[in-house]
Amino acid sequence: MTPQCLTLCRRLAVVLAVAACAAMAQAAGVSNAVRIAELQRAGRIDEALALCRQENATRPGDALMLYNQACLENRSGQAEAALATLRAALDAGFDDFAHALADPDLQGADAGRFKQVIGDRVQRRGAMSARRGAVLAEGRPQTLALEPAPGQGPADGARVTLTWQPAGLDLRLELDDTDGRWLPAPESRPWSGEGGVLLALGPLDPDSGETTDSFVFGFGLEKDAGVGALFVVETGQWQRVREVTPKVRGAGTARLVLDATIPWLAIAPYHPLVDPVLGINVTLLGRGGSTGPRLMPATVLDRPGAPRHLAARLDFTVDGAASGALQGRSPTSIITGTTTAINLVATSAAAGTGRLTLDFQDGEGHSLLADGPATQDVDLVAGLTRINRAVDFSQVRVGPCRVSATLVFADGSRGAWSAWLLNLGPDWEPRYREAISGLPADEQPTANYYLAAIVRAVDAHRARRHPGALATTLGDLNLMLARFRDTGSVVPAEGLSTFVYPGPGGEDRLCHFVLPPGRPAGAPLTPVILGGHSPGDAPRVAERIVRFLASPEGTPQADGAGAWPVFVVAPGERGMATRDSDAEAELRACARWARERFGAPGVLLAAQRGAVGPALALARLPEAGVRGLLLFADRELDPWPGQTAEAVAARLGPPQAGIPVTWLEFPQETALGGGSRTLATALRRAGWLLQEETVRGASNFTQVADRTCRWQATLKTAAGPAR
C-alpha cells in the first residue's frame, strides 16, 4: 500500500461499521472508496480524483472523503482547490491533525499553506480546551457546564462537578432526564449503544487540546443498578470494573444525578502530582447511541481505543496536596538505552531529612541490583519536594523489572511508589536477529514471527503504559532461544507450542500444536488437525487440549500402530481464505507441513464450520494421506447453502476406501438452522459411511477440543508409524 492511500484504507473498517439502515448507500460508498484506493495505487490520480468528487457530490459532508479529495487535488497540481477542500474537510470534522501534517500527499510547493490551515485549527482547539477547562486544588470541587449537541437546543443546565481527592477524581453529573433519554432504565450501557455516560481522561497536549494517551470509561445502568466499565486497549474490549461503579439517582426525572470516582490507580501511571495537566471529556449518549450534552464537541464511543481525544484542560495545583504522598514517573516504560530518568514527587508536612530506597526487582520480588536496594538520605521541604535520579540500566538484566521507591519521611511516615518497566537494552533488535539466524531454517520463521510482533508492539506502545503483553511475548521468544541452546530446537518435547509454517503460496501461517506428555523418545507421531474455529478460539482450543490430556480421562496413548497423537490447531477460518478452493489449499498446506514436520505418512482431520467442505475434498485426495475424519455438525455448518442433497452428493463424489468418518451432531443447534441435514444426506448418497453420534449442548471450543481427543483415542489404526 502506498503512503498516498494510507488514510483512506486505514479507515475503511470505520466505514464498514455504519448502521444497517444505510446499507445500500454504504455499499456504494465502500465500493467507490476501494476503487479510489486502487486507482491511487496504480498512479491514476485524475481518475481517482474524478471518482472522489463524484462521491462527495453524492454524499456531501463526509470528512474523510473530503480530506482524500484535497490530497488528490494537491497531487494533481490543483493547490487552490486542495486548500478549499481541506478547509471543507476540517469543517466537516476531520481531526487527524498529526497525520495531515505529515501526509506526503499534502507536501510540495504549497505545503506551508496546508500546514498553516491545519495549524490554525490545532490552535483553536487548544484555546477551546483551555477555555472549557478548570483549575483543580485537592478537595475543592469545580463545576463545568456541558454544551448541547448540534440541533438539540439548550443543555438544560447539564453540568459536571469534578473534585480532586487523594484516592481519585470524583465526578458528579447533573441534568434533566425527564424523558428518560440519557439513562433509559433498566438497561443503559453506553458501550452497547443503549444510552449512558462516556468519559475520556488522560495526559493532555495543551497546544492541540487533545489527550495523548486516553483512558475511556463508561457509566450506565444494568437491571436498574449502576454499572461502570473501562475500555481495554490491548484486547479492544470493554471490561466491567467494580471500582468505577456509579451511584445513580433520579433516572428519568428532572434531576438526574450520577456520582462516580475514577481511582488514580485506574489511570496509572498518570497522577496529578507528576502530571499536573490532564484532559477530560464527558459526553452523554441517548437511545440508539444518539449524542447528547458534552463537555467538548467530540465523540468518544466511535473510537474508544484511540489515544487522542479532544478534551478540556485540567490544571492541578499541587501545592495544597495532602502530605505523606510519594509519586513517580519514568518518561517511558520500555528501556532501549543504558540510562533513564526516574522523577519522584514527595509531599511533606514539614522540612527534614527523609530516607529514600530505590530497587529493581524481577517478577518474584528478587532485587536485580548486584548490591541490593540503593538507599540514601534526601532533604525534604515543607510541601513538595522533587527528587530526580538518572538510573544506569546497564546494571539491570534484560527483561521486565519492577522499579520501586520507598520514602521514610522525617516524622516516620512512609510513602511508596512502583511501576513495571521492560529493559530491552541498546541494539536489542539486531541482537535478536543475530540469535534467530542460528536457528534451523524451518524454525526461524516462528522466532521471527515473535520478533516482528515485539517490534510492532514497541512501535505502538504508549510511552508510560505497563509493558504487559509485550513483556510476555518477549519472554516467549527468550524461552524459545533458550530451549534451542539446550536441545537444538525451539519446539518443546511435550506440551503447547506455536509454529509458523508456509501457506499455499509460501505465506507465513501460525498454528498451535500440542505434543502429548509421556511419549517415549523417538516414538512416531500422527498429526490430528483441527480446523474451522475462529481465530480467537485457536489458542483456547490448544490450551483446552493441554488440560484434557492432563486429566485422568485424557491420558494419551499410542494407537494400534504405535503412533502417538500430535494435535495441530490450524489457523482460524477467518484468518485464512474464505473461498472453497482457497480454503482447501490452506488446509492442504497445513496437512502437508504437519506430515513433513512430524514424519507421518498420514493425518487425521477434525473439522467444523468452514473447514468441513475443504476437509471432505481433501479426504478424497490419496496424496493428502487423510486416514480419518471427524465432522462437527452445528447450526453454522452449511458449506454449500441453497444446494440440494443430490447436487452436494454429485459435488462430493465417493470417498477413499476405508476412511472412517465420524459425524458428531449437536441437535439443539442443528434444529435451529444450518445445512447439516442436507450434507449428511448427501454424504450417504455419495457412499460415505458415517458413524453418527449426538451430543448435548453447544459446539464450543471446549467441546471441540475434548471430543477430538476422545475420538483420536478410539481409532486403533490411524495414520500408522512414520516410514
Side-chain angles (χ1 to χ4, degrees):
M1 182 180 299
T2 64
Q4 288 79 7
C5 59
L6 174 63
T7 300
L8 185 63
C9 295
R10 181 162 54 90
R11 298 198 177 185
L12 268 179
V14 176
V15 177
L16 291 168
V18 175
C21 63
M24 294 184 64
Q26 154 83 13
V30 172
S31 176
N32 282 338
V34 172
R35 181 60 179 154
I36 292 167
E38 291 173 347
L39 291 170
Q40 289 187 83
R41 283 194 294 269
R44 296 158 64 180
I45 303 305
D46 291 342
E47 294 176 63
L49 176 56
L51 186 56
C52 197
R53 284 173 170 165
Q54 175 186 325
E55 184 68 17
N56 282 320
T58 304
R59 275 174 286 278
D62 184 327
L64 178 59
M65 193 61 71
L66 284 166
Y67 175 78
N68 280 283
Q69 178 178 324
C71 292
L72 289 167
E73 286 170 339
N74 185 54
R75 291 186 67 191
S76 66
Q78 303 175 46
E80 293 302 327
L83 279 169
T85 307
L86 178 61
R87 291 190 179 96
L90 297 172
D91 290 339
F94 183 85
D95 61 357
D96 195 347
F97 299 134
H99 173 80
L101 288 170
D103 195 335
D105 287 344
L106 295 180
Q107 301 305 309
D110 292 281
R113 298 169 68 191
F114 294 124
K115 290 182 178 179
Q116 182 177 353
V117 169
I118 298 168
D120 288 344
R121 296 301 176 105
V122 171
Q123 290 180 2
R124 287 190 214 173
R125 288 163 66 102
M128 178 172 56
S129 171
R131 187 171 62 252
R132 298 193 63 81
V135 177
L136 296 183
E138 190 170 325
R140 298 179 184 176
Q142 288 286 336
T143 299
L144 303 173
L146 301 187
E147 66 169 21
Q152 289 189 352
D156 295 329
R159 60 191 182 275
V160 60
T161 300
L162 305 172
T163 309
W164 171 18
Q165 302 287 11
L169 183 66
D170 285 352
L171 165 83
R172 167 166 286 192
L173 178 68
E174 300 173 272
L175 76 161
D176 187 334
D177 191 33
T178 304
D179 298 328
R181 184 175 183 181
W182 311 120
L183 286 178
E187 305 294 333
S188 306
R189 298 167 298 189
W191 50 89
S192 300
E194 299 164 343
V197 183
L198 291 165
L199 180 146
L201 179 66
L204 188 76
D205 175 3
D207 293 334
S208 67
E210 293 180 319
T211 56
T212 58
D213 181 10
S214 266
F215 292 77
V216 174
F217 299 88
F219 308 102
L221 293 175
E222 186 173 66
K223 298 179 181 178
D224 286 321
V227 60
L230 168 69
F231 186 81
V232 182
V233 175
E234 293 76 13
T235 64
Q237 302 290 328
W238 286 90
Q239 179 177 319
R240 306 290 178 85
V241 180
R242 182 175 56 84
E243 289 78 7
V244 300
T245 301
K247 294 181 180 179
V248 181
R249 302 187 303 277
T253 72
R255 191 168 188 275
L256 166 65
V257 179
L258 182 147
D259 287 302
T261 297
I262 307 296
W264 296 124
L265 287 175
I267 66 166
Y270 304 108
H271 189 280
L273 287 181
V274 290
D275 300 283
V277 179
L278 296 176
I280 187 171
N281 192 18
V282 179
T283 181
L284 274 77
L285 293 182
R287 295 189 190 96
S290 60
T291 302
R294 62 266 181 99
L295 188 56
M296 294 292 286
T299 55
V300 175
L301 186 60
D302 62 343
R303 48 175 187 170
R308 305 186 76 88
H309 286 275
L310 184 59
R313 175 170 175 161
L314 299 180
D315 288 278
F316 294 86
T317 57
V318 297
D319 292 337
S323 61
L326 178 67
Q327 286 293 325
R329 63 173 289 171
S330 174
T332 179
S333 59
I334 298 180
I335 313 301
T336 57
T338 57
T339 61
T340 193
I342 299 294
N343 309 121
L344 301 171
V345 174
T347 59
S348 180
T353 300
R355 189 73 170 165
L356 176 66
T357 301
L358 278 177
D359 196 10
F360 296 84
Q361 302 171 331
D362 61 20
E364 298 178 353
H366 304 304
S367 180
L368 297 173
L369 299 178
D371 298 326
T375 302
Q376 64 181 122
D377 291 336
V378 293
D379 294 328
L380 303 175
V381 301
L384 257 68
T385 300
R386 302 187 185 276
I387 307 167
N388 300 316
R389 294 289 184 270
V391 178
D392 182 4
F393 265 81
S394 63
Q395 302 179 46
V396 180
R397 72 167 180 247
V398 170
C401 67
R402 179 175 176 266
V403 55
S404 62
T406 304
L407 179 63
V408 179
F409 291 88
D411 61 3
S413 61
R414 301 170 67 90
W417 166 81
S418 66
W420 279 96
L421 306 178
L422 179 60
N423 182 25
L424 293 176
D427 301 321
W428 66 276
E429 188 177 346
R431 284 190 289 105
Y432 276 102
R433 294 203 181 280
E434 182 179 0
I436 291 171
S437 68
L439 299 178
D442 65 330
E443 296 187 354
Q444 289 184 25
T446 301
N448 279 322
Y449 174 90
Y450 277 81
L451 180 59
I454 294 166
V455 171
R456 288 194 302 270
V458 169
D459 291 341
H461 184 69
R462 301 185 184 181
R464 292 166 56 195
R465 287 282 186 109
H466 192 297
L470 173 56
T472 301
T473 306
L474 181 70
D476 291 340
L477 178 57
N478 287 336
L479 182 60
M480 283 184 185
L481 296 175
R483 186 183 295 129
F484 169 72
R485 290 192 295 269
D486 294 339
T487 69
S489 173
V490 302
V491 177
E494 63 179 53
L496 175 61
S497 184
T498 55
F499 206 89
V500 172
Y501 67 89
E507 314 91 339
D508 284 350
R509 294 289 186 262
L510 180 72
C511 73
H512 301 72
F513 65 82
V514 180
L515 284 160
R519 167 178 166 257
L525 288 163
T526 294
V528 184
I529 299 175
L530 296 86
H533 41 267
S534 69
D537 277 349
R540 301 167 75 187
V541 171
E543 290 164 3
R544 178 63 194 181
I545 291 173
V546 172
R547 291 177 59 189
F548 185 85
L549 295 180
S551 69
E553 178 188 3
T555 302
Q557 299 177 0
D559 64 16
W564 288 65
V566 51
F567 296 90
V568 180
V569 184
E573 59 179 354
R574 286 185 289 277
M576 302 194 305
T578 54
R579 291 185 302 176
D580 282 351
S581 59
D582 294 338
E584 181 185 331
E586 291 280 1
L587 195 59
R588 187 187 304 118
C590 184
R592 180 176 60 248
W593 164 79
R595 290 177 63 184
E596 293 173 355
R597 175 72 195 181
F598 301 110
V603 299
L604 303 174
L605 287 181
Q608 64 175 142
R609 300 171 184 166
V612 168
L616 289 167
L618 207 60
R620 297 186 63 240
L621 300 175
E623 64 272 19
V626 178
R627 305 298 176 84
L629 272 180
L630 172 62
L631 305 178
F632 290 88
D634 57 22
R635 63 179 166 182
E636 294 188 43
L637 175 59
D638 198 3
W640 300 290
Q643 295 193 22
T644 65
E646 291 81 1
V648 174
R651 178 174 191 154
L652 288 169
Q656 290 189 67
I659 294 182
V661 181
T662 299
W663 179 273
L664 208 59
E665 176 122 7
F666 295 81
Q668 290 174 261
E669 290 201 8
T670 56
L672 298 176
S676 64
R677 293 177 182 175
T678 299
L679 180 58
T681 301
L683 286 167
R684 295 189 197 97
R685 289 183 178 179
W688 297 71
L689 299 178
L690 303 184
Q691 302 170 11
E692 300 181 51
E693 300 178 28
T694 59
V695 183
R696 290 185 177 181
S699 62
N700 53 40
F701 73 89
T702 299
Q703 286 274 31
V704 170
D706 293 1
R707 296 284 172 176
T708 300
C709 292
R710 293 191 185 109
W711 168 70
Q712 180 279 327
T714 65
L715 299 179
K716 301 304 182 184
T717 56
R723 295 170 183 167

